[in-house]
Structures are given as C-alpha cells and as structure tokens.
Amino acid sequence: MSASILVVDDERAIQDTLAWCLRNDGHGVRTAGSAEEAMAIMADQGFDLIISDIIMPGLSGVDLLRKAHVLQPQTLFVLITAFATVETAVEALREGASDYVVKPFKFDELRLRVRRLLEQRAVTQESALFRRAVESAVPDRSLLGESAAMHAVRTQVAKTGPAVSNVLITGESGTGKELVARAIHAASPRHGQAFVPINCGAIPEALLESQLFGHVKGAFTSAVQGSPGLFAAADRGTVFLDEIGEMPLHLQVKLLRAIEEKQVWPVGGTKPFRVDIRIIASTNRDLAKEVEAGRFRCDLFYRLNVVHIALPPLRERREDIPLLADHFTREFNLKLGRQVRGIDPGVVDALMAHPWKGNVRELEHVIESAMILSDGEVLTVVDLPSGFVGDPVPADESLRELNRRSEREHILAVLARTQFDKRKAARALGISLASLYRKLGERRISDPPLQD
C-alpha cells in the first residue's frame, strides 16, 4: 500500500534515514527541515501522511499539525517526540494527531505504525462507502424493532420530523436517544443542514458556555482568538443537547434566552447574533422531578418539552432482541471482517433472559464481544462474555479486580470494533484520548501484531 508522505525534521540525518526506510516500503517521500518549509511544500502537493518532529526552530510540530488540518484535513499526522514532551504529544492527539512515537525509536517500529495507520484508513474508507450504500437503501435501520413500543416511536418521529417544534427525548442510558434525534432531523426540512450533537455532561462546566455560544478574542485567558460556538455551527440546522439535565442552572438561563429570542450572546461579546436552529434535547433523568427539586428551570423545561418522545428500555420490548442481535451480527461482520451466519438458539434464550440494564448499547457490546471471541460461523453460548450466563466469579476476586477485568474486556472490544483507531475508540468510550492511552498502559493492552 503506497502513500505520499512528508517527513519534517530539523535534523538532516533523521530526514534522510526516514525517507530511505519509507521509500523502501514503496512510498513517495518528500522531506522538509522546518514547519515553514513543509507548509510551502503542502501548498503545491497533497499528502496521505505527515511525520513531524515536535521541537523545531520556528513553528513547532504541533503548530504544523494545526495548520495541516486546515490545508489538508484528511491527512494523517504522526508526531516524533522526546520523553520530556510526551505530555505535549498526548495533548496533540486531542487536536487530531493520528499517533506519536517517542525518541529514541526504532525505524522498524515507525514503519509498522505507518503501515497500520494506512491500512486502518483504507478499511475505514471502504466501510464508510459500504455503510452509506446500505443506509441509503434502508433509511429506517437506526430504529429497529417490531414491538408496539417501537412502532409508536417511529410514528412519533414521522410526525415530529416535519414540524418546527422543539423535542424532548427521555429514556434510560443506552436506549438510543441520539438515534431518534438523528431520525427526527433526517425527516425534517433541515435534513440537508448540520446536525450538531452536544453532550452537556461531557464538557467541563467552565468550557460549556464557550462551546455552546462562542466567545470573542480575549474573553478569557486562553481565548487567543474568537470562536463562533456550536450554536452558530448549527445555524439553519438542528442542535441535539444530550443529557440536558446535566446543564448548570446559570447556563439554563442563557439557553432559555437563546430559544426565546433566537439570538446568542458570545462570552465576552457586546452584541448578540441571530441563529435559526431547532433544538432536540434528551435526558435519562425525570426532569419534572428535577424542576421540583430546584435543579432545572421550569420555564426551560416547558420550552423544551413541546413534543415528548419516551424511549422504552430493552427489557420492556424483549420481542425486539432477536432482531437487534441479528442486526448487530451483520454489522460486526462488516466491521470485524467476519462471516458469522447466525446465532445458536441457546444464545437467543440467554439474551432473552438477561436484565439488560445497559439496554440496546449493552446488547451491541455483548454481540461484539461474542463475535471477537467466536471461532465458528455460528455464535454459541460459550462465545458470550464471561459471567453473562452465570459463570462463577472466583470467590477470592475483589470487586476492584472484577471491575478492572470487565473494563479491560470492554476496551478490547471497542478497540477491535474501531480497528484499533485510538481516537474513534476514545469517542466510543466517552473518554479523552489521553485517558485511553493511560488505561491501555494500566491494563497492559497493546496493538495486535500486523498480519502479512
């Protein structure tokens, strides 16, 4: 698999050695001695991958990363760092770097990482093309289920989509609230515009206001430039406020004002700007009780709760479990490169008897784990995760060790599903990329060996 690669390092010896190694692997390689020289080259040529040192005279490798994402947003980016700057490299992963290697490194290790990144991107691109083809043929695939409850949800989505009213979606974690929100957006006149999901519980409170409403340059210490915010990014589209019950009271006031006046005040700004957005909110809390307890504003609750869609937990629509299990099996056949033809009746019985406290998301993870562990063409009970059908837990195993083991198994399952793409895995796990790398070290999880 050949690729066009740009190597950026102020040490000529490293430039030449890396270029020689990568050219021997069949890649087209150009070199630059500084970030400024690299940008001049990028103005004339696109690259599949950039490999850059972090510490260089003038602009740093992290500066180059930021500029490369503007000039060539699809380009993969690997940073070379010394031990003293590993923390900087981890922060750069949050900004879109694909990977980093620590000096001194073995050139074979870097070649291995390059090969793995290029293969992962090829698989991702092929899967995306296939997924788009499937989704265009089956528009309602996200709301699977033949139960009366799911028929009712689909009817509500069909009626709600064309309207302009705000929507509140409630349900336990893992029931598919974002899928319903996306289906409403897809059924609306705004379907060609942006759908911007925001997890109100995942963004630190100190940053949430700026993320939502934007800020002007100098509004706070790190505001070296202005930002329009996510509401502005969703103009003429839909904003999905996930876990709205986590929003602090003082921001609820500002959100209410934005809904009523259709205007947004950036942090530090002296004048508002207009936005045309539809708001869909979701929560796993009882907002009426939150209002009674003084933790959620009554006026905002009624502004959001114009149309209410309640999603049933999976245990209340068990007749949908075989259909969902079959769907996830076919989906993971594509993602994992498997050819599982079906599910043993014993597995179906076990799935039907499970309490499903994690709802559809838990079912998805169980099928994913079973397909990773299975060697055959049919999933059997022995392929189900440890403890799923009552496997005994060692009496001397502490709760901490049990949790560590379960977490390790889940991280491995997500990594397998994302083809060991760390950024995608971190998003799926709901943690930062730095936290994922820390957990990989703590749980002694390493990338699988490449298959020739």
Side-chain angles (χ1 to χ4, degrees):
M1 182 183 298
S2 64
S4 57
I5 301 176
L6 175 62
V7 174
V8 189
D9 199 295
D10 59 321
E11 295 184 38
R12 188 56 185 264
I14 293 181
Q15 285 184 44
D16 293 342
T17 307
L18 272 178
W20 179 81
C21 288
L22 294 168
R23 285 176 182 139
N24 278 350
D25 288 343
H27 303 300
V29 184
R30 292 190 65 176
T31 61
S34 67
E36 291 83 354
E37 183 183 354
M39 287 188 292
I41 295 173
M42 291 170 63
D44 296 324
Q45 180 182 348
F47 292 93
D48 297 308
L49 172 67
I50 296 174
I51 302 173
S52 174
D53 195 7
I54 285 187
I55 305 299
M56 296 183 291
L59 294 176
S60 70
V62 177
D63 294 326
L64 178 60
L65 165 66
R66 297 189 183 106
K67 293 181 181 296
H69 273 194
V70 175
L71 294 172
Q72 299 179 14
Q74 301 304 316
T75 299
L76 301 170
F77 205 105
V78 175
L79 288 163
I80 301 173
T81 178
F83 281 110
T85 56
V86 167
E87 187 174 338
T88 302
V90 172
E91 288 298 321
L93 291 172
R94 296 179 180 175
E95 298 197 31
S98 308
D99 204 349
Y100 71 90
V101 291
V102 180
K103 293 180 180 178
F105 60 87
K106 296 180 180 178
F107 287 101
D108 284 345
E109 176 193 357
L110 182 60
R111 293 166 65 192
L112 182 78
R113 292 183 183 230
V114 168
R115 179 179 169 187
R116 181 174 289 126
L117 283 171
L118 294 173
E119 288 179 345
Q120 288 174 351
R121 187 173 73 163
V123 170
T124 299
Q125 289 173 340
E126 290 174 6
S127 298
L129 289 172
F130 187 88
R131 192 161 52 249
R132 282 196 292 270
V134 171
E135 288 175 351
S136 64
V138 189
D140 286 332
R141 64 185 289 277
S142 61
L143 300 178
L144 290 173
E146 295 303 322
S147 63
M150 286 309 296
H151 276 295
V153 168
R154 285 196 293 269
T155 299
Q156 287 179 295
V157 168
K159 291 180 178 180
T160 303
V164 297
S165 306
N166 295 332
V167 182
L168 179 63
I169 305 169
T170 60
E172 296 178 5
S173 295
T175 49
K177 295 186 288 294
E178 183 170 342
L179 291 177
V180 172
R182 290 183 179 276
I184 292 171
H185 175 73
S188 76
R190 299 171 182 261
H191 67 272
Q193 304 298 325
F195 176 90
V196 179
I198 304 164
N199 189 320
C200 299
I203 303 174
E205 183 176 336
L207 299 177
L208 185 56
E209 182 177 5
S210 171
Q211 289 282 314
L212 291 176
F213 307 118
H215 62 262
V216 299
K217 181 178 178 181
F220 42 86
T221 305
S222 59
V224 294
Q225 61 184 19
S227 171
L230 295 174
F231 271 44
D235 191 30
R236 295 184 296 169
T238 302
V239 169
F240 174 54
L241 297 174
D242 193 15
E243 301 306 340
I244 187 68
E246 304 290 336
M247 180 175 284
L249 277 169
H250 73 278
L251 288 187
Q252 293 177 28
V253 177
K254 195 162 185 177
L255 174 60
L256 178 64
R257 185 173 184 178
I259 294 173
E260 291 178 338
E261 299 179 0
K262 299 188 183 301
Q263 293 185 129
V264 168
W265 287 80
V267 177
T270 57
K271 60 181 180 180
F273 58 87
R274 294 192 64 80
V275 289
D276 173 20
I277 56 174
R278 183 186 195 179
I279 293 180
I280 302 176
S282 80
T283 182
N284 58 12
R285 297 186 180 187
D286 185 333
L287 283 191
K289 290 184 178 178
E290 294 294 297
V291 169
E292 292 178 5
R295 291 186 292 265
F296 201 85
R297 290 184 61 93
C298 178
D299 44 8
L300 178 58
F301 172 61
Y302 288 115
R303 278 288 188 179
L304 296 174
N305 194 32
V306 178
V307 177
H308 178 205
I309 297 179
L311 293 185
L314 185 57
R315 60 184 173 274
E316 293 181 6
R317 56 180 186 107
R318 291 184 181 275
E319 60 267 45
D320 292 335
I321 290 175
L323 179 65
L324 288 165
D326 180 67
H327 163 72
F328 289 133
T329 301
R330 287 184 280 109
E331 191 172 75
F332 287 119
N333 270 335
L334 294 174
K335 291 183 179 179
L336 302 177
R338 296 295 310 278
Q339 293 182 337
V340 173
R341 295 185 292 104
I343 300 175
D344 185 84
V347 173
V348 176
D349 292 341
L351 297 178
M352 295 292 283
H354 192 69
W356 298 117
K357 295 180 181 179
N359 292 296
V360 179
R361 186 182 297 126
E362 183 187 359
L363 174 60
E364 180 182 9
H365 292 163
V366 166
I367 297 299
E368 178 181 14
S369 174
M371 291 188 64
I372 293 170
L373 298 174
S374 172
D375 293 321
E377 294 184 348
V378 176
L379 296 183
T380 65
V381 172
V382 296
D383 299 321
L384 293 174
S386 176
F388 186 83
V389 288
D391 290 349
V393 176
D396 59 348
E397 185 173 25
S398 69
L399 183 60
R400 176 176 294 180
E401 286 303 313
L402 178 61
N403 288 335
R404 284 174 61 88
R405 180 161 56 83
S406 298
E407 181 177 84
R408 187 178 191 277
E409 291 175 355
H410 182 56
I411 291 174
L412 281 169
V414 173
L415 285 169
R417 186 180 70 186
T418 59
Q419 303 290 326
F420 275 77
D421 185 313
K422 307 296 193 308
R423 281 183 292 166
K424 289 183 179 179
R427 286 196 296 269
L429 291 165
I431 60 177
S432 69
L433 196 54
S435 296
L436 175 59
Y437 271 92
R438 186 179 67 254
K439 288 180 181 294
L440 295 181
E442 292 172 349
R443 304 297 183 261
R444 298 182 181 180
I445 299 173
S446 57
D447 288 355
L450 281 174
Q451 300 294 323
D452 292 327

